[in-house]
Amino acid sequence: GAGVSQTPSNKVTEKGKYVELRCDPISGHTALYWYRQSLGQGPEFLIYFQGTGAADDSGLPNDRFFAVRPEGSVSTLKIQRTERGDSAVYLCASSRDGYNEQFFGPGTRLTVL
Amino acid sequence: AQTVTQSQPEMSVQEAETVTLSCTYDTSESDYYLFWYKQPPSRQMILVIRQEAYKQQNATENRFSVNFQKAAKSFSLKISDSQLGDAAMYFCAYRRDSGGGADGLTFGKGTHLIIQP
């Protein structure tokens, strides 16, 4: 019954390391979105899942970023060889079917030192 | 590509007064949706109001209403009887109505709304 949850809430890592960010959508929501929000900016779309498949990954900035949703529920955003420019809040949202309201999680603040 | 512009980085209003936040957008699509989201310091984005482009009537939700001018590509948010709890970042967002599937949202840079007691 809870909303969208994201873990961890904060993540500090060193340049070059690998990180995974997790999103638990609202139960029964088939659509899931990832956004990145840099300081002082609005969120930027990264990727959209409908079920298990990535319906649109046009927002992923480069091949260091990858996301999965193997069972059509929980999603993991994976960032390889992190760079300081990857520091941002990563927001996840889910929607009942992609056409209705997107409900957002509280985000994960990633800091790359 | 579509863009969303919020020209007011910060707005301040006295409690109980009315404030209007501006938003313009650029798109070549005829079918789309527009949204206003509120983001308090907790970071959680909350939907305030939504407008379908095919609807001529402006959306309203209690103290929140919009002025949607499709030809001018303008979508402003009016908050009446401002309350301290309205203080937050407000983001205007656009979503194309692609028919075959839903797209991600395109956001503006946001307006920081301050409520003076």
Side-chain angles (χ1 to χ4, degrees), chain B residues 3-116:
Chain B
T3 59
V4 176
T5 302
Q6 293 179 251
S7 58
Q8 305 155 317
E10 187 173 280
M11 291 285 284
S12 181
V13 65
Q14 290 289 129
E15 193 177 1
E17 297 292 308
T18 294
V19 64
T20 299
L21 308 184
S22 301
C23 173
T24 59
Y25 58 94
D26 189 24
T27 182
S28 57
E29 305 286 339
S30 57
D31 295 325
Y32 50 87
Y33 299 89
L34 295 165
F35 307 84
W36 279 98
Y37 277 88
K38 171 184 176 181
Q39 187 179 42
S42 67
R43 299 197 305 240
Q44 190 131 13
M45 301 284 276
I46 302 163
L47 179 64
V48 174
I49 200 164
R50 156 190 173 138
Q51 174 83 42
E52 290 87 346
Y54 66 85
K55 290 187 177 179
Q56 292 186 339
Q57 186 171 6
N58 289 322
T60 63
E61 286 288 341
N62 301 313
R63 298 183 294 108
F64 299 87
S65 61
V66 298
N67 183 3
F68 173 48
Q69 302 288 331
K70 190 172 184 180
K73 296 180 181 173
S74 170
F75 183 60
S76 61
L77 174 70
K78 185 170 85 170
I79 306 174
S80 303
D81 185 26
S82 299
Q83 300 176 0
L84 293 177
D86 295 335
M89 285 293 294
Y90 285 80
F91 292 95
C92 179
Y94 165 101
R95 195 191 85 201
R96 186 174 65 131
D97 182 6
S98 57
D103 292 0
L105 298 166
T106 300
F107 286 88
K109 287 189 175 183
T111 296
H112 181 210
L113 179 63
I114 298 167
I115 310 295
Q116 309 266 10

Side-chain angles (χ1 to χ4, degrees), chain A residues 27-108:
Chain A
S27 178
H29 281 195
T30 61
L32 185 145
Y33 302 80
W34 283 100
Y35 295 86
R36 177 170 71 174
Q37 186 174 19
S38 301
L39 191 63
Q41 304 293 317
E44 288 179 282
F45 168 75
L46 296 178
I47 187 169
Y48 155 53
F49 286 91
Q50 183 60 258
T52 60
D56 181 359
D57 64 358
S58 61
L60 294 177
N62 52 59
D63 61 6
R64 295 187 297 105
F65 288 75
F66 189 69
V68 296
R69 195 186 185 199
E71 297 178 358
S73 177
V74 171
S75 176
T76 305
L77 178 65
K78 308 180 181 198
I79 310 174
Q80 298 178 322
R81 305 182 304 280
T82 52
E83 298 177 358
R84 293 196 179 88
D86 298 335
S87 296
V89 173
Y90 289 82
L91 296 169
C92 176
S94 73
S95 171
R96 193 172 68 215
D97 56 14
Y99 293 93
N100 290 283
E101 177 184 350
Q102 293 183 26
F103 294 86
F104 282 80
T108 294

